[in-house]
Amino acid sequence: DGGITQSPKYLFRKEGQNVTLSCEQNLNHDAMYWYRQDPGQGLRLIYYSQIVNDFQKGDIAEGYSVSREKKESFPLTVTSAQKNPTAFYLCASSMTRLAGDGKQYFGPGTRLTVT
Amino acid sequence: GQNIDQPTEMTATEGAIVQINCTYQTSGFNGLFWYQQHAGEAPTFLSYNVLDGLEEKGRFSSFLSRSKGYSYLLLKELQMKDSASYLCAVRDLAAAGNKLTFGGGTRVLVKP
C-alpha cells in the first residue's frame, strides 16, 4: 500500500535535547513538507522540499532543521533552540503543482512532548 | 502574505446541513483545498476548487468565488462521524512549489 509513515506516534524528550522525527513516503512524490499544529489551531509550515538535496524554510523554521538526501525521506530535527517544541508534527507529500491539483497527502503525525 | 479566516466552531444536529465559510486574501490565487481532520489524526483531502462554482462529492460540496475571495464547504445529511475540524487552505501563484497556507480550522460538533 502506498502512503506516508511517521514514527514514532508519541515522543517524549527532556528540554535541551535535539530530537529527530522521521517521515517516509512511497508515493513517488517529489515534494515533501513539515507542519506544526498546536491545540485548536491550523497547520503552520516549517520546511518544505521540492526535490532531492533541496529544501526551503517555511513560515516558522527557527529552531528546526531538515535534510532531503533521498526522495522517499524527509527527516525533521527539532533542536534545543526551538523555544516551544511541544506540538503535533505532520509530514506531507505531493506531486508537483504541474502534475494535477497537487493535493498534499499527510502522514499520521508525531506528538512531541518536551518537559 | 495571505490571510485566511474561518469560524472557530460550529454545532449542528445529526441529519441537518452545515455550511463552513472561508474567506481569503491573496496576491495570486491558484487553488483552494478543504481537508477534514479528526482529533489527533492526519488531515484527509475533501475537495479542490480552482474555478468559480460548486463542486459536489456525495454529501460534501465546496463552492468558490474568486472575485469575492470566498469559499464554503457544505456538509449535508450530517452524521456523528462528521464531528471533526475542517481546514481551508489556499495556494498562491507566487508561492514556490506547491506551498499551501492553512486557516485555523473550524471544529464541527454534530449532536444527536
Side-chain angles (χ1 to χ4, degrees):
Chain A
D1 277 341
I4 303 176
T5 57
Q6 291 184 245
S7 60
K9 191 165 177 65
Y10 298 96
L11 192 53
F12 297 89
R13 280 294 184 270
K14 294 288 187 187
E15 201 173 304
Q17 293 179 334
N18 290 357
V19 59
T20 297
L21 282 58
S22 93
C23 176
E24 304 278 330
Q25 55 98 0
N26 62 3
L27 298 168
N28 200 32
H29 286 166
D30 286 313
M32 296 186 75
Y33 316 81
W34 274 105
Y35 293 92
R36 170 188 172 129
Q37 187 174 37
D38 292 287
Q41 298 192 26
L43 279 59
R44 291 185 290 167
L45 184 65
I46 305 172
Y47 268 98
Y48 64 104
S49 168
Q50 299 178 67
I51 199 166
V52 175
N53 292 323
D54 187 47
F55 48 83
Q56 288 81 37
K57 292 181 179 180
D59 301 318
I60 54 165
E62 186 175 346
Y64 300 98
S65 66
V66 293
S67 63
R68 186 88 188 275
E69 296 175 4
K70 297 187 301 182
K71 186 175 185 177
E72 302 79 18
S73 179
F74 191 40
L76 173 75
T77 297
V78 184
T79 74
S80 55
Q82 168 50 234
K83 291 182 172 42
N84 297 299
T86 295
F88 187 45
Y89 290 88
L90 286 158
C91 179
S93 71
S94 74
M95 295 170 72
T96 59
R97 189 196 312 183
L98 296 176
D101 57 26
K103 65 176 173 278
Q104 295 183 15
Y105 296 79
F106 286 84
T110 292
R111 190 167 298 280
L112 173 66
T113 303
V114 176
T115 56
Chain B
Q2 298 182 57
N3 193 30
I4 301 173
D5 289 313
Q6 45 181 136
T8 306
E9 196 168 291
M10 303 180 75
T11 302
T13 306
E14 195 175 12
I17 298 174
V18 71
Q19 177 174 314
I20 306 168
N21 295 326
C22 172
T23 59
Y24 63 87
Q25 293 172 321
T26 180
S27 52
F29 176 83
N30 192 28
L32 184 144
F33 295 80
W34 283 98
Y35 283 85
Q36 180 191 60
Q37 185 181 27
H38 286 98
E41 296 183 11
T44 54
F45 170 80
L46 288 178
S47 69
Y48 169 68
N49 295 72
V50 67
L51 299 176
D52 291 349
L54 188 69
E55 294 278 342
E56 296 188 80
K57 264 190 197 180
R59 294 189 298 113
F60 293 3
S61 304
S62 58
F63 171 83
L64 175 68
S65 168
R66 289 172 296 171
S67 62
K68 294 181 179 174
Y70 168 68
S71 172
Y72 68 71
L73 179 70
L74 196 69
L75 284 61
K76 294 181 269 190
E77 301 167 21
L78 278 173
Q79 301 176 11
M80 298 300 291
K81 67 179 182 180
D82 297 330
S83 291
S85 285
Y86 292 85
L87 307 174
C88 173
V90 172
R91 183 170 58 206
D92 192 299
L93 265 175
N98 195 32
K99 248 177 65 168
L100 299 181
T101 300
F102 284 81
T106 299
R107 189 163 57 208
V108 171
L109 177 62
V110 180
K111 294 186 172 178

